[in-house]
Amino acid sequence: AKSAGGNRSELADPEADARAITRHGLTTALPTALERGEFFIEYQPLVHLGDGSVRGAEALVRWLHPQHGVLGPDRFIPLAEHTGLIVPLGRWVLEESIRQARAWRERHGGRDAGPLRINVNLSPCQLSHPGLVQDTVDILERAGVTPDALCLEVTESALIGADDDLLKPLRRLAEMGVDIALDDFGTGYSNLANLRRLPVSVLKLDRSFTQGMQQFPADPVDLKIVEGIVTLAHSLDLAVTVEGVETGAQAEQLRVLGCDTAQGWYYARPGPPERLHDLALADAKG
Ligand code: C2E
Ligand code: CA
Ligand code: CA
Ligand code: CA
């Protein structure tokens, strides 16, 4: 974009210029990238804090760009949201990860803890897209996966001030048995009482909350805050998942505080689907 200074001001900040070019380049390359199959998904295990078993995984999309190599979602999801490509891209992520959940189920079925579940992120544009419910139903049916194996993650900020029209598709999905998780919980400013209005069954506590617990003992104020959230969540029948668990001390303190499920580098970084299968199998044996 040309600023008031014209060419000269563009030259004055070559880095900003390079960033803009990359952003523009990435944006125009997005549709063909989807056609060419340049996206892939990594899976990060969700671990039950009580017994340490792997209960499922979150699907995290990546782009293997022919020139720039592997790009993380923070580089291209905002661009895809801006252009609307997030709708077909998000549909692809849903289809691919549910297909994967089916494969895990076949190779890993029959455990007491039940089949591995799959968590998929939903962007605000997908939420307001009229095809969401039907697409999800179709994808589940095609894969032969029951709705209770799926959890859709929606950020707290996407639901702040959401009116009934926006909540309706989520309610329908929840009624079908799909879990809805409130992602990045604690980063927005939602009224806690507001939670009762939302069709969510899981709170995903943002990493910023658990960062103060990497050491033992943790900051007592941090502990009190998390303890309060867990108590409130459980009183509303919500399960609590904690993100960004990087140390054993963190995991232990969060377990004692009553958190249900954890996710983070302490257990595993996001990785290929076979890795999740191996982790879950090792865990079933151990
Ligand atoms: P998120 O949903 O909050 O996902 C968790 C992020 O934390 C992931 O980053 C994950 O790799 C990272 N993470 C996991 N464990 C740890 C840990 O122990 N320490 C630290 N420091 N980080 C950890 P990633 O994969 O870069 O994804 C970033 C964001 O991109 C996600 O945040 C999510 O909002 C978005 N995203 C990813 N995949 C999709 C998708 O398919 N659709 C949409 N709409 N958004 C997606
Ligand atoms: Ca998420
Ligand atoms: Ca999150
Ligand atoms: Ca986050």
Side-chain angles (χ1 to χ4, degrees), residues 248-259:
Q250 244 175 327
E252 178 55 18
Q253 293 179 94
L254 290 161
R255 186 189 66 77
V256 169
L257 288 175
C259 298

Side-chain angles (χ1 to χ4, degrees), residues 183-184 187 206-207 243:
D183 203 355
D184 298 346
T187 57
D206 191 71
R207 185 164 75 231
E243 302 187 310

Side-chain angles (χ1 to χ4, degrees), residues 44 58 61-62 73 93 121 183-184 207 243-244 246 264-265 270:
Q44 187 175 34
E58 178 174 6
V61 68
R62 280 90 179 82
V93 171
N121 293 286
D183 203 355
D184 298 346
R207 185 164 75 231
E243 302 187 310
E246 296 182 354
W265 296 345

Side-chain angles (χ1 to χ4, degrees), residues 34 217 224 250:
L34 187 57
K224 278 272 174 251
Q250 244 175 327

Side-chain angles (χ1 to χ4, degrees), residues 223-246:
L223 288 174
K224 278 272 174 251
I225 293 173
V226 174
E227 190 177 25
I229 292 175
V230 172
T231 305
L232 173 88
H234 285 169
S235 73
L236 294 171
D237 257 340
L238 304 174
V240 178
T241 299
V242 283
E243 302 187 310
V245 175
E246 296 182 354

Side-chain angles (χ1 to χ4, degrees), residues 10 107 111 117 127 149 158 174 180 184-185 188 204-205 262:
E10 281 175 36
R107 297 175 57 189
R111 286 185 47 216
R117 307 179 74 242
L127 208 57
I180 310 293
D184 298 346
F185 182 77
K204 280 193 92 168
L205 208 55

